[in-house]
């Protein structure tokens, strides 16, 4: 979207203000469907830092995510956790991943996460 959807910005603002990670959302961005739960940016950054810190090869990158975001104004990104990229009938990764999506790049969205089947 050339202009971010105001309703989607409002949802992201509520997630940020309430520090909740229970809002399920599915978005289309760049032709890709991502489905999962939204997380407040601070919680998302903390979890990414933890995952990187536990990695023997990637631990040096953890500090990039430990600094607080310097944001003024409404959120500009959605922070997904326990999320999957839907490819046909398969959701990848199976365990869920963590994605950051620019709100202005979302071309379509719906409340809830799509189910999928690997059968």
């Amino acid at each position: 979207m050339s202009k971010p959807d105001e309703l989607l910005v409002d949802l992201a603002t509520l997630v940020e203000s309430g520090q909740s990670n229970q809002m399920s959302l599915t978005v289309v961005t760049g032709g890709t469907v991502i489905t999962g739960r939204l997380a407040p940016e601070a919680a998302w950054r903390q979890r990414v830092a933890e995952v990187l810190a536990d990695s023997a090869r990637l631990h040096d990158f953890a500090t990039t995510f430990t600094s607080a975001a310097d944001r003024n104004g409404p959120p500009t990104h959605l922070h997904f956790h326990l999320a999957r990229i839907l490819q046909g009938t398969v959701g990848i990764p199976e365990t869920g991943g963590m994605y950051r999506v620019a709100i202005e790049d979302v071309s379509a969205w719906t409340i809830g996460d799509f189910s999928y089947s690997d059968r």
Side-chain angles (χ1 to χ4, degrees):
M1 297 180 171
S2 58
K3 181 180 178 197
D5 183 316
E6 291 177 20
L7 191 53
L8 190 54
V9 172
D10 289 347
L11 287 174
T13 300
L14 283 172
V15 169
E16 289 296 328
S17 67
Q19 300 298 302
S20 171
N21 63 358
Q22 298 304 307
M23 172 54 81
S24 294
L25 191 72
T26 299
V27 299
V28 177
T29 179
T32 301
V33 178
I34 299 174
T35 189
R37 283 196 223 155
L38 293 179
E41 183 175 2
W44 182 87
R45 284 175 167 267
Q46 178 181 350
R47 182 64 186 132
V48 171
E50 291 168 0
V51 169
L52 293 173
D54 289 343
S55 170
R57 294 181 306 162
L58 302 174
H59 68 273
D60 291 339
F61 294 97
T63 57
T64 302
F65 293 90
T66 57
S67 60
D70 184 24
R71 298 277 186 261
N72 293 324
T76 58
H77 290 77
L78 302 171
H79 296 87
F80 285 91
H81 73 116
L82 301 174
R84 293 173 180 84
I85 295 173
L86 299 183
Q87 180 71 31
T89 59
V90 178
I92 52 176
E94 287 183 19
T95 57
M98 297 175 355
Y99 303 100
R100 177 177 160 109
V101 176
I103 293 173
E104 68 182 12
D105 293 339
V106 173
S107 58
W109 61 275
T110 188
I111 298 294
D113 53 355
F114 279 101
S115 60
Y116 61 92
S117 172
D118 59 359
R119 296 180 189 164

